[in-house]
Amino acid sequence: MIDHAHDLASVQEATDRLLTAVAKLDNASVARPSRLPGWTVGHVLAHLARNADALTNVLGGRPMYVSGEARDADIERDAPRPLDAQLADLRESEARFRARAAEPADWTRTVELRNGVTDAAARVPFRRWAEVELHHVDLGIGYELEDLPEEFKEREIDFLADRFLAHSDVPATRITDGTRAWSTGRQASRPEVTVTGRPADLLGWLAGRRPGAALEVSGGPLPALPPL
């Protein structure tokens, strides 16, 4: 069972870590490239703020974004802002998300995200947690996949493995850190490929943050995964 209250607390902890780290930057840092192709640090920060508002919309029964074009335009508009404006926006948008999540609601209801994707409302806090943690890494300011909370790494591996489950372009794959195991890819009576590695490296591969060079693969080459 998903514990949305626990995940909301985890979002707050992750956001506090992010804000503390970002507050140590300067205006020049906002304009430098992030680890995401084509995006500066400012783009990542702007996206995090607008995503908080987008998920606030989802919990309120409104469209996540007006349109994909509007989403992209908002990020481009907000990316060049100075550091103090970025920090204020992150704090305020996160406060709006927390306020909406604190309202009495049926957390078992189905909500709609982007591109027709639906999920239980109770999963929305975890989705926000993932945005904050992974994009903190994307900033390239010293927070790495190894620094992510162990619970988050395990749950995000589970989430991403499930996302690629039954995908016809991905071979039936067993993923393991030597203790836990997950299945992904197309359905088969047995896995075609086994991928073994540390949780940080497994997550990096699944999330498109690392090429998988540190992983051990048997049964075939490392599967190429569709973009998230």
Side-chain angles (χ1 to χ4, degrees):
M1 181 178 295
I2 302 168
D3 185 347
H4 70 274
H6 167 79
D7 289 349
L8 285 167
S10 297
V11 170
Q12 183 62 60
E13 292 170 4
T15 302
D16 289 344
R17 281 194 297 273
L18 174 74
L19 289 169
T20 298
V22 172
K24 297 175 183 178
L25 303 179
D26 55 25
N27 286 331
S29 298
V30 174
R32 70 170 178 77
S34 74
R35 290 174 172 173
L36 294 179
W39 271 16
T40 65
V41 167
H43 282 91
V44 177
L45 297 176
H47 166 64
L48 279 167
R50 301 288 67 78
N51 175 263
D53 284 336
L55 292 178
T56 300
N57 288 338
V58 168
L59 291 179
R62 300 184 297 276
M64 188 169 179
Y65 296 102
V66 173
S67 66
E69 293 77 13
R71 168 191 176 274
D72 295 344
D74 286 347
I75 293 171
E76 290 294 334
R77 178 197 66 206
D78 295 341
R81 297 174 302 176
L83 182 63
D84 59 350
Q86 299 278 10
L87 285 166
D89 193 13
L90 281 168
R91 293 190 188 99
E92 291 164 7
S93 59
E94 188 65 33
R96 289 190 290 270
F97 176 72
R98 290 200 310 273
R100 171 61 70 178
E103 295 177 1
D106 174 14
W107 286 94
T108 66
R109 73 191 187 280
T110 298
V111 295
E112 185 170 346
L113 296 137
R114 294 182 68 195
N115 303 319
V117 174
T118 60
D119 204 349
R123 288 285 291 270
V124 171
F126 180 76
R127 286 177 175 272
R128 177 59 184 172
W129 187 11
E131 290 284 330
V132 176
E133 294 285 18
L134 291 178
H135 286 313
H136 190 168
V137 174
D138 292 334
L139 290 172
I141 57 175
Y143 190 68
E144 304 295 341
L145 293 170
E146 286 78 6
D147 299 317
L148 296 169
E150 290 303 317
E151 178 198 351
F152 174 78
K153 282 186 277 195
E154 180 176 357
R155 290 178 60 189
E156 183 68 356
I157 290 171
D158 184 74
F159 176 83
L160 292 172
D162 187 66
R163 180 167 182 162
F164 299 125
L165 195 63
H167 199 292
S168 60
D169 292 335
V170 179
T173 303
R174 180 177 185 267
I175 301 167
T176 180
D177 63 0
T179 301
R180 298 157 295 190
W182 301 265
S183 295
T184 196
R186 54 180 172 256
Q187 295 181 339
S189 58
R190 63 178 63 183
E192 302 169 47
V193 178
T194 296
V195 179
T196 305
R198 300 181 308 154
D201 291 320
L202 292 170
L203 175 54
W205 166 61
L206 287 165
R209 265 66 179 186
R210 289 183 181 172
L215 300 173
E216 179 183 330
V217 187
S218 60
L222 183 69
L225 300 175
L228 293 175

